């Protein structure tokens, strides 16, 4: 069994409005695929499913794409759910 850790999730702008909170601490496996991390967050806040295709998130200040990328997390790591960044 993969050990778990406590990470801080921060929600910005309308993500905070949708989730109803600005931050929370959650327990997740230390080794987790990026898509599974999002699924853990979405399980806590099902209303975020409606914006799944618009979500960008960062782990320890590094942008992460949904997919099979394996993340190595430690307790205290910061996960940031941010709005899409416009380019222009």
């Amino acid at each position: 069994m993969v050990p778990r850790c406590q990470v801080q999730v921060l929600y910005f702008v309308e993500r905070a409005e949708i989730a109803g909170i600005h931050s929370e601490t959650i327990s997740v496996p230390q080794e987790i695929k990026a898509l599974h991390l999002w699924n853990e967050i979405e399980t806590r806040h099902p209303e975020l499913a409606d914006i799944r295709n618009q979500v960008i998130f960062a782990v320890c200040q590094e942008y992460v794409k949904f997919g099979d990328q394996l993340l190595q997390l430690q307790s205290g790591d910061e996960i940031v759910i941010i709005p899409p960044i416009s380019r222009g």
Side-chain angles (χ1 to χ4, degrees):
M1 178 176 227
V2 177
R4 296 182 76 81
C5 61
Q6 301 290 315
V7 297
Q8 182 75 18
V9 183
L10 306 175
Y11 301 88
F12 289 152
V13 194
E14 67 270 4
R15 278 76 181 134
E17 292 172 18
I18 292 169
I21 58 173
H22 292 282
S23 67
E24 66 182 330
T25 300
I26 64 172
S27 175
V28 295
Q30 285 182 324
E31 292 182 358
I32 188 169
K33 291 182 179 182
L35 182 59
H36 294 147
L37 174 60
W38 174 254
N39 289 339
E40 291 266 348
I41 293 167
E42 197 175 279
T43 296
R44 289 166 173 75
H45 305 286
E47 55 280 354
L48 290 173
D50 293 340
I51 61 164
R52 178 184 209 133
N53 294 331
Q54 303 168 21
V55 167
I56 298 171
F57 70 110
V59 178
C60 299
Q61 301 180 359
E62 299 273 335
Y63 287 112
V64 174
K65 293 181 180 181
F66 288 142
D68 289 335
Q69 177 184 357
L70 186 62
L71 305 172
Q72 301 288 330
L73 301 175
Q74 300 292 321
S75 284
D77 282 355
E78 193 173 77
I79 314 299
V80 181
I81 312 301
I82 57 178
I85 298 169
S86 64
R87 300 178 203 263

